[in-house]
Every structure is written in C-alpha cells, then in structure tokens.
Amino acid sequence: MKFKWHFLLLITFISSFALQAQVKVAAIFSDNMVLQRHTKIPVWGWANANEKVSVQFNNQTKTTKADQTGKWIVRLDDEMAGGPYVLKIKGKNSIEIKNILVGEVWICSGQSNMEWTVGQADEAEKEIDMANFPQIRHVKIPKEINSFPASDIEKTAWEVCSPKTVANFTAIGYYYAKELNNKLNIPIGIINASWGGTNIETWISREGFELDSEFRDMIYSMPKIDIHSLLDAKMEAAKTRIEKIQNSKLNPENVSLYKELNYKDSNWSEIHQPGIWEEQQLGNFDGVVWLRKHFTISEITENCTIEIPAIDDNDITFINGIKIGQTNGWDEKRMYKIPSGILKLGDNVIAICVVDNGGGGGIYGNSAALKIILNNKEIPLDGNWKFQVESIKNSINENDFPSLCFNSMIHPLIPFAFKGVLWYQGESNVSRAFQYRKTFPMLISDWRKKWKNDFPFYYVQLATYKTTGNSNEGCAWAELREAQTKTLSVKNTGMVVTTDVGNPNNIHPSNKKTVAKRLASIAFTNLNNENMICNGPTFNSFEKKEKQLIVTFNSLGAGLVTTNEYGFVNGFEIAGENQVFYPAKAYIKENKVVVSSENVLNPIAVRFGWIGDASEFNLFNVEGFPAVPFRSDEWKTITKEEKYKIDIIVN
C-alpha cells in the first residue's frame, strides 16, 4: 500500500513537471492566421524561467530566453506578403502553427454594429454562397472581462473565409477585407474584438484614465481587486442605488401580484418607454424589471393585438393578470394576440416582466410601433410606464466598470503587429455625448501608447436612427456625431458618414457593405498614414449676405450635388439671436450652399442634419459620399453635464 502511494506521488510530480516545462505561445497565434507585412513581427509566449526558446518562420530563426516570470518574446524581421508558411516554436517541447499567410491585419472593435455578422447583413444568403476567399482570415476574440489586465485570451481559432465559415464573420470587417484583398491582392486578416452594447469606457485602460485629470478621481475610486470581490462591491452598491430610485426595498414576496389589474402601483416610479433604461434613471442596470401601464377602452372587439417594437432582452407579457405572450430575443418584434374575455370596458393594465441580461434593457424602437390594435383602432402605449425592480443580476456586466473589456480582449493582444483599427461604437455613449469628445480621442491615444505605434484609426459615425430631439429641443444623437467629427483632429484618423444607408427604425442597419466600402476608400486615400480624412463634404465656414447664409465645405471631391431633381437640399436650419432654429430653403450654387428662411431675417447660425433620423437629407459630393452633420454655433447642449461615474461600495 505504501509503495502504491509513493508511486502515485511520483507520477503526480512528473506530470506537474511536464506541464511546467511546456512552451506555450499566445493564443492569438494559431493555424490559418495572418501576420502583418513590412514590420517587425512580435511572437511571444511562456516557458520555464530562463528556458531557451527558438522561433523559426520562413527563412529566419530567432532565439531568446524566457525571463524570470517565464515570459519570452522574439521579433521576426519584416516579411513580404505571401505564404502559406509554418511557424515553429521550440523549447523543451515543440509547437507548429500551419497555413500562415503574411499580408495586412486589421483590428475591428466596438459594439453591436461592428459585431453584426455577415449572416445578419443584407443579401446574406447570396454573399455566403460566393464567399470563397482563402486569402481572407478572421478570428473572433472571446468575450471576457477582467478587473486586471489579462496575459492571454481564451483559446480561439483563425478561420479561412469560405461559405462554411463566413456567416459568423464581422460583416464590416469582411466587406472591408474584400475591398482590400481585391485592390491590393494580398492576404487580409481580421481580428474581431467587438461586443454588442459596450460603452467606450470599458475599452480604455486604467492608465489611459489616470493620464487625464477629468477622469483621475473616478479611476482612483476603482479598487484594485479581483473580479469576484468587485462583484460583491457592485451588488451592494446596486441594491442601495435601486432602492433609492424606486423609494422602496427590493421585495420579491409581492412579485406574483405585479401582473394583476387591481394591484396598487401608485407608489411605483416612472420610466419612459420605448427607451433603453441605461439612458434613464435606472442607469447601468441588468436584472429583472416589471413594467406596468394602464389603458382605457370603450368597446371590446374580437381582433385585438398588442405590438411591441423590441424588448431587450426577454419578456413575459400579461394583460389584466393573464399571460398573453413570451419572447426571448433582444431584437425580436413582439406581436401578441389578446384572447377574447381578457379585456374589460374601462380600465385595463398591461404588465411586462423584462429580463435584461446585459447591455441595453427595456422596450426600445419606434414609439409609434408600441400600441394595442382593436380592429382598426390604435391605442398608443408610448410614454411613461410604472416600473419596479424584482431582482439585480448577480454578475459583473461588461459596462459596470472601466477597462473590463480592454483588460481581457485588447491587452492580451499587445504587442501583436497589425496595420490599423476599424471602430464602430457610440450608441451606448449617447447620454454622455459631450464627454465623448474626451473619451474617444483618449481611447485612440491609449491604444497607440500601448502599441507604441500611431497606427491608422478609421471609424463609423452614428447612422440614421429615429431618436428623440432636434435643434430646438436638443439632440444627444447629434451631439455624439459631433464628438466623432471633432475626433478627426487626431492624427491619422478617418471617419465615414452613414446617414443615407441607415434604418431610421433600427439601431442596427443591415447595409454593412456600403459602410465597409467607405472605410476602404479612406484606407486607399491615406496610404501614407498621415492624414485626417472624411470622404464626405465637411463644414468649413459661412458668409452672411443679407438674409442668406453662404455655406462652404471641405472635402468637396469633384463638387457638391443633391439627389433632389429641383436642386434643393434638405436638412438645413438657421437661427437668429433668439437661438430658435427654423427649417431653411437651401440650394447649391458654385459648390456652396445658399441657405435662407422667411422666419429668420437676421441669421447668425446654421445647422445641418442635427437630428437622429437624417435619412432624408440629401447633400453629397459627386463621388457619392454624404455631407457630415454639423452646427456652426456653440450654443447649449443637453449632454454637457452628464459624466461617466462608477457605482461601488468597498468594505
């Protein structure tokens, strides 16, 4: 018996030693990958301390020793585009990574409009069938968060573009890669590090915040604790905050009554629906919330339905205490038939149990699409709803604290060599649009500092979307676009405008091909990596001439055009000293836009596209790129006082 015990100990020791001796390479290196041409190529991993490691690729071999922590790194010499090659790594064991190409590599990051796949985009079936492009490779970085910078990503795999694989590629990244591959005739690699619903703050490192005085106090209040301790602190703070908002304790004992018609909800707080609740008083919240709204009917008919544009994420819907429908899916339209015998003459109530698992939450979409239909009569349901929180999700959300996505999805990629970044994000920062003037350039600077490289950074301006607000009420969507435009002052950046290819009723426009082509046009224009580029007309200045304003633009291309057959341009407004804007008559003359309004005799300010849904605005250059929304004034904005903050209690 003693011999058997000693034998097991010996086997355990040998196995442990063998595991320690295994040379590893960072998970981003795998079969079918693409390496960046015309630059040093870092390759790194882990081994035993002081272990000798050799790396062989194409016709070169580099050797190094692991440091005291076991980390090793070599930098291969520049390579020309080509392949396929094998990467061989040897220490006490050997690793071979096969079918590697050398070309251009681009990181695609941001939120859902970047994560949106080929399979979800326009003409998906047709595109998938013809997607036989073996020089295009794609890797999806696993969606993970961490309170400390991670050393590596979870195991993942590069995929060769084919009809079997392409459906899950980022659509913008794929179409961009097609454009580059077609013109440059070299392999293109896409690193897809995106996560739907994420705000920009989760993608910025702690050091990035520490360098800026506006965010220093915030980031110093963020404790340096592991993710489990951070969860405990979050839950305590969230419970305190929610109970203060709704002026009552979380009380699951009464939940079964929330759906009933006669339940007294007069002391419940109110929230506007449709509208993502992260942009309202609930703020950064995930969990279960009950929504209630009373409505009155004067007649009962047989054909009754309730329509809900979308609910993020899942719902169970009741009328007068009776369940009428249930859907799991954050982007699914709900249309529930109301069975006969449920509705009553006079007062009725709809109660919706909403489960928000992460990102945005609540009813969202077109206000007019939230309604009850009684035969041909519509009862609108948009407006204030009563709400009560049932429970708080016991987990850390990717937006709960700064740097969480950076730590797990970006930091482990450093110092991987790549050409540039494509970025599509901003929807989750609309409520803090003015502060985005700071955070967006901060992110670009932060990533460039980490890589020690001023790589190209090209991004997509917010698309057309039917949000609330306009020039006179204030429009947060327009303010976010303005912050994106101002970021063009950062060297080696480029922005594309998509007001003409969005969907006013869907925050996720499915036309990703046009967006990617416009990004590629910037890349082809900026081959020297020096310029700040927007391929559409951008506001320059205006000159006052009696009751008219003569507006001039940069980036004219071959000249200004409008799609209106009579030559008129939609989307311009002007204001006088009272700061009240009126729609303006506008037309193109000698590559300038002449703007006027009978309601403004002494105009001093002009705006264009200062609204969420700018789909009807029709100013372009000859090349087909839409003009950038703008304002000439610096008058009051509605998001200036909204600041990023974290909610945490540490014992």
Side-chain angles (χ1 to χ4, degrees):
M1 198 68 185
K2 180 184 288 186
F3 172 78
K4 184 178 181 180
W5 175 247
H6 286 167
F7 178 74
L8 288 173
L9 281 176
L10 178 62
I11 293 297
T12 301
F13 174 78
I14 292 172
S15 298
S16 174
F17 181 80
L19 286 173
Q20 289 179 358
Q22 292 292 311
V23 169
K24 281 182 56 183
V25 67
I28 191 64
F29 296 90
S30 71
D31 292 349
N32 306 316
M33 72 183 302
V34 180
L35 295 175
Q36 178 61 40
R37 65 172 179 167
H38 298 168
T39 189
K40 298 291 185 184
I41 304 173
V43 181
W44 72 95
W46 300 268
N48 284 339
N50 299 315
E51 183 176 349
K52 184 179 178 181
V53 177
S54 67
V55 177
Q56 181 182 345
F57 183 76
N58 198 8
N59 295 317
Q60 55 178 305
T61 300
K62 302 288 183 181
T63 60
T64 188
K65 274 189 177 183
D67 64 19
Q68 292 301 310
T69 69
K71 177 81 177 281
W72 60 265
I73 186 170
V74 300
R75 287 177 169 80
L76 299 172
D77 296 332
D78 300 18
E79 291 278 353
M80 302 289 288
Y85 302 116
V86 176
L87 179 66
K88 297 180 180 180
I89 302 162
K90 186 174 182 181
K92 293 179 180 177
N93 60 291
S94 297
I95 300 170
E96 280 196 4
I97 301 172
K98 302 174 182 177
N99 195 28
I100 297 174
L101 301 180
V102 177
E104 280 200 358
V105 181
W106 288 80
I107 292 179
C108 295
S109 190
Q111 55 183 108
S112 51
N113 273 311
M114 181 60 81
E115 192 174 15
W116 210 253
T117 64
V118 173
Q120 295 170 302
D122 285 350
E123 301 181 328
E125 186 175 343
K126 176 183 176 183
E127 191 64 45
I128 290 169
D129 286 345
M130 58 180 284
N132 186 23
F133 302 108
Q135 283 197 325
I136 296 175
R137 312 288 175 88
H138 175 279
V139 61
K140 181 71 168 81
I141 304 303
K143 295 196 284 190
E144 300 284 343
I145 59 173
N146 206 317
S147 56
F148 293 117
S151 60
D152 204 4
I153 57 174
E154 296 294 319
K155 186 176 181 180
T156 189
W158 285 79
E159 293 183 306
V160 179
C161 180
S162 74
K164 292 182 179 180
T165 62
V166 75
N168 292 321
F169 287 17
T170 160
I172 285 179
Y174 163 73
Y175 285 117
Y176 182 82
K178 274 186 67 177
E179 292 293 311
L180 267 60
N181 177 250
N182 182 56
K183 183 159 185 174
L184 303 177
N185 194 28
I186 62 171
I188 305 295
I190 296 297
I191 299 176
N192 180 4
S194 57
W195 192 332
T198 49
N199 60 32
I200 196 170
E201 291 85 1
T202 194
W203 296 102
I204 301 172
S205 75
R206 184 182 185 103
E207 295 78 16
F209 286 112
E210 289 175 343
L211 291 172
D212 192 284
S213 59
E214 183 174 336
F215 295 92
R216 203 166 290 141
D217 289 344
M218 177 279 297
I219 201 63
Y220 286 162
S221 71
M222 172 76 177
K224 295 181 179 181
I225 54 179
D226 63 46
I227 203 77
H228 304 293
S229 301
L230 199 59
L231 174 59
D232 293 339
K234 174 218 169 170
M235 292 301 293
E236 184 176 351
K239 182 174 181 291
T240 300
R241 184 176 66 85
I242 293 299
E243 289 180 345
K244 183 178 180 181
I245 288 172
Q246 61 186 30
N247 198 29
S248 64
K249 299 288 185 182
L250 295 178
N251 184 12
E253 295 178 5
N254 294 330
V255 166
S256 62
L257 303 176
Y258 289 175
K259 63 182 182 292
E260 302 296 337
L261 173 61
N262 296 323
Y263 181 78
K264 302 298 182 183
D265 59 14
S266 57
N267 64 334
W268 284 21
S269 298
E270 292 185 337
I271 193 168
H272 190 275
Q273 296 289 277
I276 296 297
W277 56 47
E278 276 76 2
E279 298 174 6
Q280 302 182 65
Q281 66 266 48
L282 271 175
N284 191 18
F285 170 85
D286 300 314
V288 181
V289 176
W290 282 82
L291 300 170
R292 285 172 57 94
K293 189 173 184 68
H294 288 264
F295 62 95
T296 302
I297 61 173
S298 57
E299 60 176 327
I300 297 177
T301 62
E302 290 298 317
N303 299 316
C304 306
T305 58
I306 178 171
E307 294 187 4
I308 305 171
I311 296 179
D312 197 344
D313 292 293
N314 310 322
D315 76 286
I316 306 175
T317 298
F318 305 83
I319 289 185
N320 295 337
I322 307 298
K323 177 182 173 182
I324 62 165
Q326 177 177 355
T327 302
N328 293 338
W330 62 270
D331 58 347
E332 297 291 331
K333 180 179 180 180
R334 276 74 166 166
M335 185 179 295
Y336 301 139
K337 182 176 175 58
I338 304 173
S340 60
I342 292 180
L343 293 175
K344 306 175 186 300
L345 290 174
D347 185 41
N348 296 262
V349 71
I350 174 174
I352 306 177
C353 178
V354 179
V355 179
D356 175 23
N357 293 316
I363 302 171
Y364 72 96
N366 186 3
S367 295
L370 180 58
K371 60 194 174 185
I372 288 177
I373 302 176
L374 307 175
N375 279 339
N376 296 321
K377 180 181 178 182
E378 295 185 356
I379 300 175
L381 295 175
D382 62 311
N384 288 334
W385 288 55
K386 298 285 189 177
F387 78 90
Q388 190 80 355
V389 174
E390 175 184 327
S391 61
I392 302 168
K393 187 178 180 182
N394 188 28
S395 67
I396 295 286
N397 175 279
E398 58 275 10
N399 287 337
D400 281 340
F401 300 103
S403 311
L404 296 181
C405 285
F406 174 87
N407 287 339
S408 278
M409 298 175 67
I410 300 300
H411 182 270
L413 303 179
I414 303 169
F416 191 86
F418 62 93
K419 177 64 175 179
V421 170
L422 304 183
W423 178 260
Y424 196 157
Q425 191 275 339
E427 298 91 341
S428 290
N429 280 82
V430 165
S431 62
R432 299 187 300 277
F434 191 87
Q435 195 176 47
Y436 203 79
R437 299 180 180 194
K438 268 290 191 73
T439 49
F440 191 20
M442 180 191 301
L443 176 137
I444 298 171
S445 175
D446 183 38
W447 289 19
R448 287 174 171 175
K449 282 188 174 74
K450 295 296 185 183
W451 263 278
K452 300 177 182 177
N453 179 6
D454 288 339
F455 47 76
F457 196 105
Y458 306 144
Y459 56 95
V460 183
Q461 192 178 52
L462 288 188
T464 275
Y465 186 52
K466 193 172 288 183
T467 60
T468 57
N470 53 42
S471 285
N472 291 319
E473 297 170 1
C475 181
W477 202 264
E479 290 180 25
L480 197 289
R481 285 194 186 123
E482 181 181 52
Q484 292 172 317
T485 302
K486 287 182 176 294
T487 303
L488 285 171
S489 63
V490 177
K491 179 185 175 182
N492 203 9
T493 56
M495 181 183 79
V496 299
V497 179
T498 59
T499 48
D500 60 322
V501 293
N503 181 344
N505 297 315
N506 193 333
I507 203 169
H508 303 110
S510 54
N511 181 354
K512 304 302 187 191
K513 183 184 292 187
T514 301
V515 179
K517 285 186 174 183
R518 290 176 181 176
L519 285 165
S521 75
I522 289 177
F524 298 143
T525 303
N526 192 31
L527 294 176
N528 294 324
N529 300 338
E530 294 177 353
N531 302 312
M532 294 76 78
I533 297 173
C534 181
N535 42 25
T538 58
F539 173 70
N540 179 30
S541 64
F542 71 83
E543 174 188 357
K544 185 178 176 183
K545 188 175 182 181
E546 297 179 349
K547 298 177 183 179
Q548 297 178 330
L549 297 182
I550 316 299
V551 185
T552 62
F553 293 84
N554 298 319
S555 299
L556 291 176
L560 295 178
V561 294
T562 176
T563 57
N564 182 279
E565 61 178 315
Y566 300 107
F568 294 115
V569 180
N570 302 329
F572 279 90
E573 303 168 283
I574 59 175
E577 293 181 357
N578 62 358
Q579 300 187 9
V580 176
F581 282 88
Y582 291 91
K585 177 183 176 181
Y587 60 92
I588 299 168
K589 183 178 180 181
E590 297 175 351
N591 277 330
K592 301 175 183 178
V593 178
V594 181
V595 186
S596 64
S597 171
E598 294 179 355
N599 296 307
V600 185
L601 301 181
N602 183 29
I604 62 172
V606 58
R607 292 184 178 184
F608 172 75
W610 200 261
I611 195 169
D613 177 10
S615 56
E616 298 300 317
F617 302 162
N618 56 357
L619 181 62
F620 298 83
N621 58 21
V622 170
E623 289 76 9
F625 299 119
V628 180
F630 72 88
R631 59 176 179 146
S632 66
D633 61 276
E634 291 289 340
W635 295 338
K636 184 179 179 181
T637 57
I638 60 172
T639 66
K640 189 173 183 177
E641 304 307 318
E642 297 296 323
K643 305 296 182 184
Y644 178 72
K645 52 185 179 294
I646 58 176
D647 190 19
I648 190 167
I649 297 175
V650 182
N651 295 321

